[in-house]
Amino acid sequence: QEANLKRAKRGDLKVSVHHMEMERIRYVLSSYLRCRLVKIEKFFPHILEKEKSRAEGELSILSPEEFAFAKEYMANTEAHLKNVALKHMPPNLQKVSLLKSVPKPNLDSFVFLRVLERQENILVEPETDEQREYAITLEEGSQHLIRYRTVAPMVASGAVQLI
Amino acid sequence: RQALEEMRALYERNQADVSEAKSGRADLIFLIRFRHCCLLRNQRCLLAYLYDRLLRIRALRWEYGSVLPNTIQFHMSAEEVEWFNRYKKSLATYMRSVGGEEGLDLTQDIKPPKSLYIEVRCLRDHGEFEIDDGTTILLKKNSQHFLPRWKCEQLIRQGVLEHVLS
């Protein structure tokens, strides 16, 4: 009978652990998707503009559902501002460019990264007037703190990984 | 609304001066430009205020869920309620499209899970509450229960249950 009890408890524990793992995965997934949505809502005019000017073969940074969500968010917000305020304003002020009014993402902010593929001769912009631009080599496995703009194409290609 | 009135008044005066200026009185241009700046500033302030309200309403969806308490709805304009409804619908469509047939409710699991079951205390009478294995629990004020975490999350956010940290 004790053996039976032990077997039952072990099974139960496995179920609990499995359950726990599922919850953890669900959390990580949820958190990641939530973060994406927050970014979409924060920068919506710029994201939609970038999507509009995307070249033929280039991959989109948004999933089709995210794109639909972004468009709906834009339409909803624009219509609201128009109906509540803009249409009551003098004729020459009834249009407003959301692209200009909503803050842009700061591509010059510094980011931490880890190098996955060795990169040679990366041009770094001068920080002060006395410096001139110089070239650095990013060794595989090294970590750096650098402006996002300098490494943006490498993030897209997967050569570096943001931490 | 007052700001709109002011803008209208300013604009009308500006209009009169514009037609005057066109007919050759160059000295009025500075006044016109000044009023235009005031108008632009008013427009910017108004839009900033309205947009900020929208951002707060959006936060409400994530905090309170799909149904807003009446006390809050009272302070929202009809257009804002409509914006909220459209936002909530857009969000629901997106959540449904994620992962599998049912979708993933992104408004759950805000914090990393520490354990499967949690100890909760009931803050007010909420009536009966059914958990997965079929049993119902009566949620009476001040009663304490040991329940699965995910079932409680929404009730905790609504203020019905309180997580007891021993």
Side-chain angles (χ1 to χ4, degrees):
Chain A
Q1 212 178 36
E2 270 180 332
N4 276 347
L5 207 67
K6 271 201 204 133
R7 212 183 308 138
K9 242 192 237 164
R10 206 182 302 134
D12 197 55
L13 191 63
K14 258 196 270 190
V15 165
S16 292
V17 170
H18 182 68
H19 207 155
M20 197 58 183
E21 186 63 18
M22 259 177 50
E23 301 245 321
R24 290 232 167 87
I25 294 174
R26 200 208 309 266
Y27 168 74
V28 172
L29 197 58
S30 250
S31 179
Y32 169 68
L33 292 174
R34 259 201 299 272
C35 189
R36 284 177 74 98
L37 280 188
V38 163
K39 279 195 191 165
I40 291 174
E41 289 175 1
K42 195 164 179 193
F43 300 118
F44 66 98
H46 308 283
I47 292 179
L48 287 170
E49 186 64 30
K50 184 165 178 189
E51 194 57 21
K52 221 194 301 179
S53 54
R54 182 166 59 98
E56 262 298 312
E58 240 180 290
L59 284 171
S60 170
I61 49 171
L62 298 173
S63 75
E65 295 82 13
E66 285 172 338
F67 184 43
F69 178 78
K71 279 194 291 193
E72 286 166 17
Y73 187 78
M74 172 123 177
N76 197 13
T77 306
E78 248 183 341
H80 182 263
L81 292 177
K82 204 174 286 182
N83 284 329
V84 176
L86 287 174
K87 77 173 179 209
H88 299 290
M89 290 190 191
N92 64 333
L93 288 170
Q94 283 191 3
K95 282 219 148 27
V96 80
S97 160
L98 283 177
L99 198 58
K100 290 206 206 114
S101 323
V102 175
K104 268 198 312 208
N106 181 14
L107 297 174
D108 285 318
S109 55
F110 282 86
V111 290
F112 279 100
L113 60 91
R114 184 180 294 127
V115 180
L116 299 175
E117 289 166 19
R118 188 168 189 267
Q119 304 288 315
E120 299 194 344
N121 285 324
I122 305 302
L123 226 50
V124 177
E125 292 289 314
E127 298 294 324
T128 61
D129 285 332
E130 289 106 46
Q131 282 181 332
R132 269 171 309 160
E133 58 180 19
Y134 55 96
I136 57 170
T137 300
L138 297 174
E139 294 291 342
E140 184 177 332
S142 62
Q143 291 176 320
H144 302 268
L145 177 61
I146 201 170
R147 274 189 205 283
Y148 178 75
R149 202 187 287 277
T150 315
V151 294
M154 292 172 255
V155 176
S157 71
V160 311
Q161 183 182 47
L162 294 179
I163 312 175
Chain B
R1 223 166 288 145
Q2 235 179 337
L4 287 170
E5 288 281 342
E6 190 188 312
M7 283 179 73
R8 197 174 298 139
L10 274 175
Y11 179 73
E12 270 156 27
R13 271 152 56 198
N14 226 17
Q15 271 293 69
D17 284 340
V18 161
S19 41
E20 280 250 30
K22 276 210 271 245
S23 56
R25 290 189 59 194
D27 52 338
L28 282 177
I29 287 192
F30 295 113
L31 183 56
I32 293 170
R33 214 179 273 169
F34 171 72
R35 285 214 201 97
H36 189 67
C37 283
C38 289
L39 285 173
L40 280 176
R41 183 177 177 277
N42 274 8
Q43 182 201 50
R44 225 185 111 142
C45 291
L46 266 183
L47 291 181
Y49 169 69
L50 289 172
Y51 186 64
D52 192 71
R53 280 176 76 101
L54 287 185
L55 291 181
R56 285 169 203 242
I57 294 174
R58 176 241 178 235
L60 289 175
R61 166 66 185 88
W62 286 86
E63 205 179 305
Y64 283 99
S66 321
V67 180
L68 291 178
N70 274 330
T71 44
I72 292 188
Q73 256 191 321
F74 177 69
H75 292 288
M76 285 169 45
S77 68
E79 292 86 0
E80 285 172 338
V81 172
E82 207 188 307
W83 187 91
F84 178 76
N85 287 332
R86 281 211 279 254
Y87 176 74
K88 146 173 107 160
K89 193 156 152 218
S90 185
L91 186 62
T93 309
Y94 175 75
M95 294 199 294
R96 243 199 319 271
S97 73
V98 172
E101 324 85 46
E102 290 175 4
L104 186 62
D105 185 359
L106 293 176
T107 60
Q108 300 275 60
D109 310 302
I110 302 284
K111 292 218 197 79
K114 285 240 157 69
S115 61
L116 281 178
Y117 285 79
I118 52 170
E119 184 92 22
V120 288
R121 183 182 299 124
C122 202
L123 295 174
R124 13 181 232 263
D125 278 339
H126 195 250
E128 296 199 335
F129 188 55
E130 190 175 328
I131 51 175
D132 285 343
D133 57 5
T135 55
T136 42
I137 304 218
L138 183 62
L139 294 176
K140 242 180 119 49
K141 187 168 178 181
N142 284 329
S143 63
Q144 260 180 253
H145 307 277
F146 193 55
L147 297 173
R149 200 186 46 84
W150 76 91
K151 283 236 91 111
C152 305
E153 203 176 325
Q154 188 142 42
L155 288 176
I156 292 178
R157 282 226 295 278
Q158 286 173 6
V160 175
L161 292 178
E162 174 186 36
H163 190 174
V164 174
L165 305 147
S166 44

PDB file of all heavy atoms in Angstrom, chain A residues 45-72:
ATOM      1  N   PRO A  45       2.444  55.725 -35.573  1.00  0.00           N
ATOM      2  CA  PRO A  45       2.547  56.330 -36.907  1.00  0.00           C
ATOM      3  C   PRO A  45       3.855  55.939 -37.600  1.00  0.00           C
ATOM      4  O   PRO A  45       3.857  55.699 -38.813  1.00  0.00           O
ATOM      5  CB  PRO A  45       2.518  57.837 -36.642  1.00  0.00           C
ATOM      6  CG  PRO A  45       2.200  58.006 -35.212  1.00  0.00           C
ATOM      7  CD  PRO A  45       2.513  56.743 -34.519  1.00  0.00           C
ATOM      8  N   HIS A  46       4.951  55.829 -36.819  1.00  0.00           N
ATOM      9  CA  HIS A  46       6.248  55.555 -37.441  1.00  0.00           C
ATOM     10  C   HIS A  46       6.329  54.126 -37.943  1.00  0.00           C
ATOM     11  O   HIS A  46       6.914  53.860 -38.992  1.00  0.00           O
ATOM     12  CB  HIS A  46       7.361  55.829 -36.432  1.00  0.00           C
ATOM     13  CG  HIS A  46       7.243  57.190 -35.837  1.00  0.00           C
ATOM     14  ND1 HIS A  46       7.616  58.322 -36.512  1.00  0.00           N
ATOM     15  CD2 HIS A  46       6.743  57.600 -34.652  1.00  0.00           C
ATOM     16  CE1 HIS A  46       7.365  59.380 -35.762  1.00  0.00           C
ATOM     17  NE2 HIS A  46       6.842  58.979 -34.622  1.00  0.00           N
ATOM     18  N   ILE A  47       5.718  53.220 -37.172  1.00  0.00           N
ATOM     19  CA  ILE A  47       5.732  51.815 -37.569  1.00  0.00           C
ATOM     20  C   ILE A  47       4.938  51.621 -38.850  1.00  0.00           C
ATOM     21  O   ILE A  47       5.364  50.920 -39.768  1.00  0.00           O
ATOM     22  CB  ILE A  47       5.180  50.942 -36.433  1.00  0.00           C
ATOM     23  CG1 ILE A  47       6.149  50.968 -35.256  1.00  0.00           C
ATOM     24  CG2 ILE A  47       4.930  49.532 -36.903  1.00  0.00           C
ATOM     25  CD1 ILE A  47       5.707  50.167 -34.077  1.00  0.00           C
ATOM     26  N   LEU A  48       3.766  52.288 -38.913  1.00  0.00           N
ATOM     27  CA  LEU A  48       2.942  52.133 -40.107  1.00  0.00           C
ATOM     28  C   LEU A  48       3.608  52.779 -41.308  1.00  0.00           C
ATOM     29  O   LEU A  48       3.495  52.290 -42.433  1.00  0.00           O
ATOM     30  CB  LEU A  48       1.548  52.724 -39.858  1.00  0.00           C
ATOM     31  CG  LEU A  48       0.697  51.872 -38.930  1.00  0.00           C
ATOM     32  CD1 LEU A  48      -0.565  52.608 -38.513  1.00  0.00           C
ATOM     33  CD2 LEU A  48       0.303  50.571 -39.598  1.00  0.00           C
ATOM     34  N   GLU A  49       4.312  53.878 -41.081  1.00  0.00           N
ATOM     35  CA  GLU A  49       5.018  54.550 -42.164  1.00  0.00           C
ATOM     36  C   GLU A  49       6.132  53.658 -42.684  1.00  0.00           C
ATOM     37  O   GLU A  49       6.335  53.524 -43.888  1.00  0.00           O
ATOM     38  CB  GLU A  49       5.599  55.870 -41.639  1.00  0.00           C
ATOM     39  CG  GLU A  49       6.237  56.746 -42.691  1.00  0.00           C
ATOM     40  CD  GLU A  49       5.250  57.242 -43.718  1.00  0.00           C
ATOM     41  OE1 GLU A  49       4.066  57.405 -43.378  1.00  0.00           O
ATOM     42  OE2 GLU A  49       5.660  57.433 -44.875  1.00  0.00           O
ATOM     43  N   LYS A  50       6.844  53.013 -41.775  1.00  0.00           N
ATOM     44  CA  LYS A  50       7.944  52.132 -42.165  1.00  0.00           C
ATOM     45  C   LYS A  50       7.414  50.950 -42.965  1.00  0.00           C
ATOM     46  O   LYS A  50       8.011  50.512 -43.940  1.00  0.00           O
ATOM     47  CB  LYS A  50       8.644  51.624 -40.906  1.00  0.00           C
ATOM     48  CG  LYS A  50       9.853  50.782 -41.195  1.00  0.00           C
ATOM     49  CD  LYS A  50      10.720  50.611 -39.967  1.00  0.00           C
ATOM     50  CE  LYS A  50      11.903  49.707 -40.314  1.00  0.00           C
ATOM     51  NZ  LYS A  50      12.681  49.326 -39.163  1.00  0.00           N
ATOM     52  N   GLU A  51       6.256  50.461 -42.552  1.00  0.00           N
ATOM     53  CA  GLU A  51       5.637  49.336 -43.243  1.00  0.00           C
ATOM     54  C   GLU A  51       5.228  49.736 -44.655  1.00  0.00           C
ATOM     55  O   GLU A  51       5.328  48.967 -45.595  1.00  0.00           O
ATOM     56  CB  GLU A  51       4.433  48.880 -42.420  1.00  0.00           C
ATOM     57  CG  GLU A  51       3.842  47.558 -42.770  1.00  0.00           C
ATOM     58  CD  GLU A  51       4.806  46.397 -42.720  1.00  0.00           C
ATOM     59  OE1 GLU A  51       5.857  46.500 -42.048  1.00  0.00           O
ATOM     60  OE2 GLU A  51       4.531  45.400 -43.363  1.00  0.00           O
ATOM     61  N   LYS A  52       4.758  50.994 -44.769  1.00  0.00           N
ATOM     62  CA  LYS A  52       4.313  51.474 -46.079  1.00  0.00           C
ATOM     63  C   LYS A  52       5.487  51.568 -47.046  1.00  0.00           C
ATOM     64  O   LYS A  52       5.366  51.264 -48.224  1.00  0.00           O
ATOM     65  CB  LYS A  52       3.680  52.873 -45.919  1.00  0.00           C
ATOM     66  CG  LYS A  52       2.425  53.059 -46.755  1.00  0.00           C
ATOM     67  CD  LYS A  52       1.983  54.486 -46.891  1.00  0.00           C
ATOM     68  CE  LYS A  52       1.688  55.192 -45.590  1.00  0.00           C
ATOM     69  NZ  LYS A  52       1.283  56.597 -45.803  1.00  0.00           N
ATOM     70  N   SER A  53       6.655  51.984 -46.512  1.00  0.00           N
ATOM     71  CA  SER A  53       7.800  52.207 -47.392  1.00  0.00           C
ATOM     72  C   SER A  53       8.691  50.976 -47.475  1.00  0.00           C
ATOM     73  O   SER A  53       9.819  51.046 -47.905  1.00  0.00           O
ATOM     74  CB  SER A  53       8.614  53.399 -46.895  1.00  0.00           C
ATOM     75  OG  SER A  53       8.966  53.202 -45.547  1.00  0.00           O
ATOM     76  N   ARG A  54       8.154  49.824 -47.056  1.00  0.00           N
ATOM     77  CA  ARG A  54       8.949  48.592 -47.087  1.00  0.00           C
ATOM     78  C   ARG A  54       9.122  48.129 -48.520  1.00  0.00           C
ATOM     79  O   ARG A  54       8.189  48.127 -49.310  1.00  0.00           O
ATOM     80  CB  ARG A  54       8.235  47.522 -46.266  1.00  0.00           C
ATOM     81  CG  ARG A  54       8.976  46.215 -46.174  1.00  0.00           C
ATOM     82  CD  ARG A  54       8.367  45.378 -45.075  1.00  0.00           C
ATOM     83  NE  ARG A  54       6.962  45.108 -45.295  1.00  0.00           N
ATOM     84  CZ  ARG A  54       6.494  43.984 -45.817  1.00  0.00           C
ATOM     85  NH1 ARG A  54       7.304  43.053 -46.200  1.00  0.00           N
ATOM     86  NH2 ARG A  54       5.192  43.807 -45.960  1.00  0.00           N
ATOM     87  N   ALA A  55      10.352  47.673 -48.831  1.00  0.00           N
ATOM     88  CA  ALA A  55      10.631  47.204 -50.197  1.00  0.00           C
ATOM     89  C   ALA A  55       9.982  45.845 -50.440  1.00  0.00           C
ATOM     90  O   ALA A  55       9.581  45.162 -49.511  1.00  0.00           O
ATOM     91  CB  ALA A  55      12.140  47.096 -50.389  1.00  0.00           C
ATOM     92  N   GLU A  56       9.912  45.447 -51.689  1.00  0.00           N
ATOM     93  CA  GLU A  56       9.202  44.233 -52.092  1.00  0.00           C
ATOM     94  C   GLU A  56       9.661  42.964 -51.381  1.00  0.00           C
ATOM     95  O   GLU A  56       8.879  42.229 -50.809  1.00  0.00           O
ATOM     96  CB  GLU A  56       9.359  44.027 -53.613  1.00  0.00           C
ATOM     97  CG  GLU A  56       8.182  44.520 -54.425  1.00  0.00           C
ATOM     98  CD  GLU A  56       6.883  43.796 -54.084  1.00  0.00           C
ATOM     99  OE1 GLU A  56       6.879  42.550 -54.022  1.00  0.00           O
ATOM    100  OE2 GLU A  56       5.879  44.492 -53.874  1.00  0.00           O
ATOM    101  N   GLY A  57      10.967  42.692 -51.427  1.00  0.00           N
ATOM    102  CA  GLY A  57      11.446  41.427 -50.882  1.00  0.00           C
ATOM    103  C   GLY A  57      11.679  41.452 -49.386  1.00  0.00           C
ATOM    104  O   GLY A  57      11.829  40.408 -48.750  1.00  0.00           O
ATOM    105  N   GLU A  58      11.692  42.638 -48.810  1.00  0.00           N
ATOM    106  CA  GLU A  58      12.014  42.776 -47.383  1.00  0.00           C
ATOM    107  C   GLU A  58      10.946  42.164 -46.494  1.00  0.00           C
ATOM    108  O   GLU A  58       9.755  42.307 -46.749  1.00  0.00           O
ATOM    109  CB  GLU A  58      12.089  44.265 -47.055  1.00  0.00           C
ATOM    110  CG  GLU A  58      13.416  44.737 -46.517  1.00  0.00           C
ATOM    111  CD  GLU A  58      13.339  46.229 -46.236  1.00  0.00           C
ATOM    112  OE1 GLU A  58      13.279  46.988 -47.219  1.00  0.00           O
ATOM    113  OE2 GLU A  58      13.307  46.604 -45.069  1.00  0.00           O
ATOM    114  N   LEU A  59      11.403  41.517 -45.415  1.00  0.00           N
ATOM    115  CA  LEU A  59      10.444  40.927 -44.483  1.00  0.00           C
ATOM    116  C   LEU A  59       9.858  41.989 -43.570  1.00  0.00           C
ATOM    117  O   LEU A  59      10.537  42.906 -43.159  1.00  0.00           O
ATOM    118  CB  LEU A  59      11.151  39.886 -43.613  1.00  0.00           C
ATOM    119  CG  LEU A  59      11.458  38.539 -44.266  1.00  0.00           C
ATOM    120  CD1 LEU A  59      12.341  37.727 -43.349  1.00  0.00           C
ATOM    121  CD2 LEU A  59      10.170  37.794 -44.555  1.00  0.00           C
ATOM    122  N   SER A  60       8.608  41.811 -43.225  1.00  0.00           N
ATOM    123  CA  SER A  60       7.968  42.767 -42.328  1.00  0.00           C
ATOM    124  C   SER A  60       8.406  42.517 -40.895  1.00  0.00           C
ATOM    125  O   SER A  60       8.668  41.383 -40.496  1.00  0.00           O
ATOM    126  CB  SER A  60       6.456  42.619 -42.435  1.00  0.00           C
ATOM    127  OG  SER A  60       5.840  43.364 -41.422  1.00  0.00           O
ATOM    128  N   ILE A  61       8.471  43.599 -40.103  1.00  0.00           N
ATOM    129  CA  ILE A  61       8.798  43.391 -38.695  1.00  0.00           C
ATOM    130  C   ILE A  61       7.540  43.094 -37.887  1.00  0.00           C
ATOM    131  O   ILE A  61       7.590  42.787 -36.703  1.00  0.00           O
ATOM    132  CB  ILE A  61       9.499  44.625 -38.088  1.00  0.00           C
ATOM    133  CG1 ILE A  61       8.727  45.897 -38.420  1.00  0.00           C
ATOM    134  CG2 ILE A  61      10.916  44.731 -38.581  1.00  0.00           C
ATOM    135  CD1 ILE A  61       9.231  47.106 -37.698  1.00  0.00           C
ATOM    136  N   LEU A  62       6.371  43.215 -38.533  1.00  0.00           N
ATOM    137  CA  LEU A  62       5.122  42.934 -37.831  1.00  0.00           C
ATOM    138  C   LEU A  62       4.494  41.654 -38.364  1.00  0.00           C
ATOM    139  O   LEU A  62       4.586  41.365 -39.542  1.00  0.00           O
ATOM    140  CB  LEU A  62       4.124  44.063 -38.068  1.00  0.00           C
ATOM    141  CG  LEU A  62       4.459  45.460 -37.592  1.00  0.00           C
ATOM    142  CD1 LEU A  62       3.391  46.414 -38.097  1.00  0.00           C
ATOM    143  CD2 LEU A  62       4.515  45.520 -36.089  1.00  0.00           C
ATOM    144  N   SER A  63       3.798  40.951 -37.496  1.00  0.00           N
ATOM    145  CA  SER A  63       3.000  39.824 -37.985  1.00  0.00           C
ATOM    146  C   SER A  63       1.746  40.413 -38.619  1.00  0.00           C
ATOM    147  O   SER A  63       1.376  41.544 -38.312  1.00  0.00           O
ATOM    148  CB  SER A  63       2.625  38.899 -36.827  1.00  0.00           C
ATOM    149  OG  SER A  63       1.603  39.481 -36.044  1.00  0.00           O
ATOM    150  N   PRO A  64       1.067  39.657 -39.498  1.00  0.00           N
ATOM    151  CA  PRO A  64      -0.150  40.214 -40.115  1.00  0.00           C
ATOM    152  C   PRO A  64      -1.186  40.660 -39.089  1.00  0.00           C
ATOM    153  O   PRO A  64      -1.849  41.676 -39.274  1.00  0.00           O
ATOM    154  CB  PRO A  64      -0.682  39.059 -40.974  1.00  0.00           C
ATOM    155  CG  PRO A  64       0.281  37.960 -40.879  1.00  0.00           C
ATOM    156  CD  PRO A  64       1.417  38.347 -40.013  1.00  0.00           C
ATOM    157  N   GLU A  65      -1.290  39.902 -37.975  1.00  0.00           N
ATOM    158  CA  GLU A  65      -2.266  40.295 -36.953  1.00  0.00           C
ATOM    159  C   GLU A  65      -1.837  41.586 -36.267  1.00  0.00           C
ATOM    160  O   GLU A  65      -2.662  42.436 -35.927  1.00  0.00           O
ATOM    161  CB  GLU A  65      -2.409  39.191 -35.896  1.00  0.00           C
ATOM    162  CG  GLU A  65      -2.995  37.889 -36.405  1.00  0.00           C
ATOM    163  CD  GLU A  65      -1.966  37.009 -37.071  1.00  0.00           C
ATOM    164  OE1 GLU A  65      -0.765  37.303 -36.923  1.00  0.00           O
ATOM    165  OE2 GLU A  65      -2.362  36.042 -37.740  1.00  0.00           O
ATOM    166  N   GLU A  66      -0.513  41.733 -36.060  1.00  0.00           N
ATOM    167  CA  GLU A  66      -0.025  42.952 -35.424  1.00  0.00           C
ATOM    168  C   GLU A  66      -0.251  44.148 -36.338  1.00  0.00           C
ATOM    169  O   GLU A  66      -0.588  45.244 -35.885  1.00  0.00           O
ATOM    170  CB  GLU A  66       1.473  42.819 -35.103  1.00  0.00           C
ATOM    171  CG  GLU A  66       1.751  41.929 -33.905  1.00  0.00           C
ATOM    172  CD  GLU A  66       3.227  41.647 -33.720  1.00  0.00           C
ATOM    173  OE1 GLU A  66       3.991  41.777 -34.694  1.00  0.00           O
ATOM    174  OE2 GLU A  66       3.606  41.295 -32.596  1.00  0.00           O
ATOM    175  N   PHE A  67      -0.056  43.928 -37.633  1.00  0.00           N
ATOM    176  CA  PHE A  67      -0.263  44.993 -38.600  1.00  0.00           C
ATOM    177  C   PHE A  67      -1.717  45.447 -38.569  1.00  0.00           C
ATOM    178  O   PHE A  67      -2.020  46.642 -38.567  1.00  0.00           O
ATOM    179  CB  PHE A  67       0.128  44.481 -39.990  1.00  0.00           C
ATOM    180  CG  PHE A  67       0.061  45.519 -41.071  1.00  0.00           C
ATOM    181  CD1 PHE A  67       0.545  46.803 -40.857  1.00  0.00           C
ATOM    182  CD2 PHE A  67      -0.480  45.225 -42.310  1.00  0.00           C
ATOM    183  CE1 PHE A  67       0.492  47.760 -41.853  1.00  0.00           C
ATOM    184  CE2 PHE A  67      -0.527  46.183 -43.318  1.00  0.00           C
ATOM    185  CZ  PHE A  67      -0.053  47.449 -43.083  1.00  0.00           C
ATOM    186  N   ALA A  68      -2.639  44.463 -38.533  1.00  0.00           N
ATOM    187  CA  ALA A  68      -4.062  44.800 -38.474  1.00  0.00           C
ATOM    188  C   ALA A  68      -4.360  45.583 -37.204  1.00  0.00           C
ATOM    189  O   ALA A  68      -5.074  46.587 -37.225  1.00  0.00           O
ATOM    190  CB  ALA A  68      -4.911  43.523 -38.530  1.00  0.00           C
ATOM    191  N   PHE A  69      -3.788  45.125 -36.092  1.00  0.00           N
ATOM    192  CA  PHE A  69      -3.994  45.805 -34.812  1.00  0.00           C
ATOM    193  C   PHE A  69      -3.481  47.245 -34.887  1.00  0.00           C
ATOM    194  O   PHE A  69      -4.158  48.175 -34.444  1.00  0.00           O
ATOM    195  CB  PHE A  69      -3.260  45.039 -33.709  1.00  0.00           C
ATOM    196  CG  PHE A  69      -3.365  45.672 -32.353  1.00  0.00           C
ATOM    197  CD1 PHE A  69      -4.521  45.542 -31.588  1.00  0.00           C
ATOM    198  CD2 PHE A  69      -2.307  46.402 -31.832  1.00  0.00           C
ATOM    199  CE1 PHE A  69      -4.616  46.127 -30.335  1.00  0.00           C
ATOM    200  CE2 PHE A  69      -2.408  46.993 -30.585  1.00  0.00           C
ATOM    201  CZ  PHE A  69      -3.554  46.857 -29.833  1.00  0.00           C
ATOM    202  N   ALA A  70      -2.302  47.423 -35.478  1.00  0.00           N
ATOM    203  CA  ALA A  70      -1.707  48.761 -35.577  1.00  0.00           C
ATOM    204  C   ALA A  70      -2.587  49.688 -36.408  1.00  0.00           C
ATOM    205  O   ALA A  70      -2.824  50.846 -36.050  1.00  0.00           O
ATOM    206  CB  ALA A  70      -0.305  48.672 -36.176  1.00  0.00           C
ATOM    207  N   LYS A  71      -3.089  49.154 -37.533  1.00  0.00           N
ATOM    208  CA  LYS A  71      -3.940  49.985 -38.396  1.00  0.00           C
ATOM    209  C   LYS A  71      -5.220  50.382 -37.680  1.00  0.00           C
ATOM    210  O   LYS A  71      -5.664  51.531 -37.765  1.00  0.00           O
ATOM    211  CB  LYS A  71      -4.275  49.228 -39.691  1.00  0.00           C
ATOM    212  CG  LYS A  71      -3.170  49.299 -40.730  1.00  0.00           C
ATOM    213  CD  LYS A  71      -3.631  48.846 -42.091  1.00  0.00           C
ATOM    214  CE  LYS A  71      -3.906  47.355 -42.087  1.00  0.00           C
ATOM    215  NZ  LYS A  71      -4.056  46.805 -43.441  1.00  0.00           N
ATOM    216  N   GLU A  72      -5.811  49.406 -36.947  1.00  0.00           N
ATOM    217  CA  GLU A  72      -7.058  49.704 -36.230  1.00  0.00           C
ATOM    218  C   GLU A  72      -6.808  50.752 -35.158  1.00  0.00           C
ATOM    219  O   GLU A  72      -7.612  51.666 -34.961  1.00  0.00           O
ATOM    220  CB  GLU A  72      -7.616  48.430 -35.592  1.00  0.00           C
ATOM    221  CG  GLU A  72      -8.244  47.491 -36.605  1.00  0.00           C
ATOM    222  CD  GLU A  72      -8.495  46.105 -36.030  1.00  0.00           C
ATOM    223  OE1 GLU A  72      -8.493  45.959 -34.794  1.00  0.00           O
ATOM    224  OE2 GLU A  72      -8.671  45.166 -36.826  1.00  0.00           O
TER     225      GLU A  72
END
